[in-house]
Every structure is written in C-alpha cells, then in structure tokens.
C-alpha cells in the first residue's frame, strides 16, 4: 500500500468537483458485485455521461504520468474509472473487489491493483476513511485532496461511515504488466537505485531491469 500526494493539482480538483456538482448520479449498488451490493451505500456518477467519461480520462492521464505509477504499478490496462459520492450516514461495508473488471471498451481485465483518488479536502467531511485489512494490521486513510491510495486488489476493505459533509472520490483498477507484487516491488527498487546511480552503474541497472521485464512481463 502506498499514498502518492498531489497526483491532481488544485486547479484540476476544482474542475473535477465543479463537473461532479452538475452531472447525474445513481445508486452505487448498481456497479457492485452480488455480495458487495448488500453493503454498498453511496452514489456514483453515471458512467455513460460524456462529462464523466472525460473526467475519468483526465484522472487516468494524471496517474499515468506520475513516475511512481510508472515504476511501481506498471499499468498495461485500466478499468473504467468511477466517481463516488458519500453523504452523511453513507458507507461501503467490508468487501473484496472482483477479480476481473472491464476497460472502457467492455473488454475484461485482471484486477491486480486497486486505487482510490481522494477528491474532497478531509476538513470538509467527517468519517469516510478508506479502511484496509491486512493479515497483521488494519490501516485507515484520509489523505489530502488530490492524493491517491494504491493497494493490491484482493484485500478486504471498506469505507467507514461519513458522519458529516460530502466525500468525493474516484476509484479504479489496473492490470499490471507484472502480475506478482513482489516482482513489481523489486523493479521499483531497482528504478530508485538507477535514479541515484552513476553512468556505468545506471547502464548495468538498465540491463537488469530490461531482462527482468522480459522475464516477468505479460501483455
């Protein structure tokens, strides 16, 4: 799990929130699996609305351009992005995401990585933390607006009840070129080393990273 700050600039956030103020929303349970729909209490911007589609493309571009996303996530395919809204009393109970989602063309993809982009300043709402359960600990996230929380798909997680204000977020899923999280971490660590290396060391790291990508990479 990792938090990346300032993925969206303040001006981008303002534009996204302005659009979400005027586009139609519908019950969030419509996009949940059978089990998750029973515990999902929120609203989602309609995915067929042209302005919502454009917002999803905008957020995706910002994520794709970030160096941590490129070196740690290594996306090869993206799901359609969804914009959610939680008002007072709404929440999303404990659940696991589906193993497959769909890209914007309707083609299925394997969900390796989940992400939540926080669109509301944490001072404007209460509750609404992203709560993720791991084998040895539970963690909660309420980062600054414009931040993204990235975590392995398959972990049980929930959104705690919002007790005041409005919580806006964008969620999505990625199929990585590297299926295994430990291999993604190794490549990320090598990229960090390459950034600080001298010329000869950087060349050797380039060779190693390239060989590992050919060994581990999938289309």
């Amino acid at each position: 799990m990792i938090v990346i700050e300032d993925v969206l600039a303040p001006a981008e956030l303002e534009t996204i929130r302005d659009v979400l103020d005027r586009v139609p929303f519908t019950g969030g349970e419509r996009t949940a699996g059978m089990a998750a729909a029973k515990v999902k209490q929120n609203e989602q911007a309609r995915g067929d609305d042209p302005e919502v589609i454009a917002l999803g493309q905008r957020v995706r571009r910002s994520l794709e351009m970030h160096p941590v996303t490129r070196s740690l996530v290594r996306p090869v395919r993206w799901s359609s992005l969804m914009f959610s809204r939680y008002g007072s009393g709404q929440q999303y109970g404990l659940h696991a995401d589906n193993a497959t989602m769909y890209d914007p063309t309707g083609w299925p993809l394997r969900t390796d990585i989940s992400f939540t982009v926080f669109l509301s300043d944490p001072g404007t709402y209460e509750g609404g933390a992203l709560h993720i359960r791991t084998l040895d600990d539970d963690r909660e996230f309420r980062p600054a607006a414009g931040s993204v929380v990235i975590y392995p798909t398959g972990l049980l997680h929930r959104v705690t009840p919002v007790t005041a204000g409005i919580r806006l977020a964008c969620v999505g899923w990625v199929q990585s070129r590297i299926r295994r999280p430990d291999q993604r971490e190794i490549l990320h660590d090598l990229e960090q080393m390459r950034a600080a290396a001298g010329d000869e060391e950087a060349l050797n790291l380039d060779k190693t990273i390239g060989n590992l990508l050919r060994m581990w990479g999938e289309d």
Side-chain angles (χ1 to χ4, degrees):
M1 289 179 283
I2 188 170
V3 179
I4 308 174
E5 298 179 346
D6 300 324
V7 169
L8 298 176
E12 290 181 294
L13 282 168
E14 195 64 32
T15 298
I16 290 170
R17 289 192 290 246
D18 285 345
V19 173
L20 293 179
D21 276 343
R22 64 175 181 263
V23 298
F25 277 72
T26 187
E29 70 280 356
R30 296 185 180 184
T31 58
M34 186 177 299
K38 298 177 182 178
V39 297
K40 189 175 185 181
Q41 302 165 13
N42 70 359
E43 296 175 305
Q44 285 179 189
R46 285 186 47 173
D48 58 352
D49 184 276
E51 287 191 287
V52 174
I53 293 171
L55 284 187
Q57 294 169 342
R58 187 171 190 155
V59 173
R60 173 178 165 173
R61 283 195 299 271
S62 295
L63 288 168
E64 284 180 316
M65 291 172 60
H66 199 282
V68 176
T69 305
R70 291 200 298 267
S71 66
L72 182 62
V73 177
R74 297 186 181 272
V76 65
R77 298 178 62 202
W78 295 74
S79 73
S80 297
L81 274 58
M82 298 189 294
F83 293 87
S84 62
R85 181 171 67 192
Y86 292 79
S88 183
Q90 292 186 313
Q91 62 179 308
Y92 197 164
L94 197 64
H95 65 284
D97 292 334
N98 293 337
T100 56
M101 297 286 182
Y102 295 91
D103 68 14
T105 69
W107 192 261
L109 59 92
R110 184 186 69 241
T111 54
D112 296 319
I113 296 164
S114 304
F115 63 85
T116 299
V117 182
F118 285 74
L119 304 175
S120 297
D121 190 293
T124 64
Y125 66 98
E126 297 177 6
L130 173 61
H131 180 110
I132 300 176
R133 177 179 294 180
T134 67
L135 290 175
D136 58 356
D137 195 11
D138 287 0
R139 296 182 62 185
E140 289 194 351
F141 301 89
R142 290 182 82 252
S147 302
V148 60
V149 179
I150 296 172
Y151 56 98
T153 306
L155 295 177
L156 291 172
H157 60 286
R158 65 190 178 103
V159 176
T160 64
V162 172
T163 56
I166 299 292
R167 176 195 190 267
L168 294 172
C170 175
V171 300
W173 297 266
V174 172
Q175 179 173 319
S176 176
R177 189 171 298 279
I178 308 300
R179 181 192 293 253
R180 286 175 43 176
D182 58 336
Q183 293 172 346
R184 292 196 297 269
E185 184 175 354
I186 289 169
L187 287 165
H188 178 64
D189 289 344
L190 291 173
E191 293 276 10
Q192 300 300 104
M193 293 170 61
R194 181 172 64 176
D199 290 344
E200 186 172 349
E201 292 84 358
L203 283 173
N204 285 326
L205 286 167
D206 280 340
K207 181 184 73 172
T208 299
I209 291 168
N211 286 335
L212 290 174
L213 284 170
R214 282 185 285 272
M215 186 185 304
W216 295 339
E218 303 177 4
D219 294 329

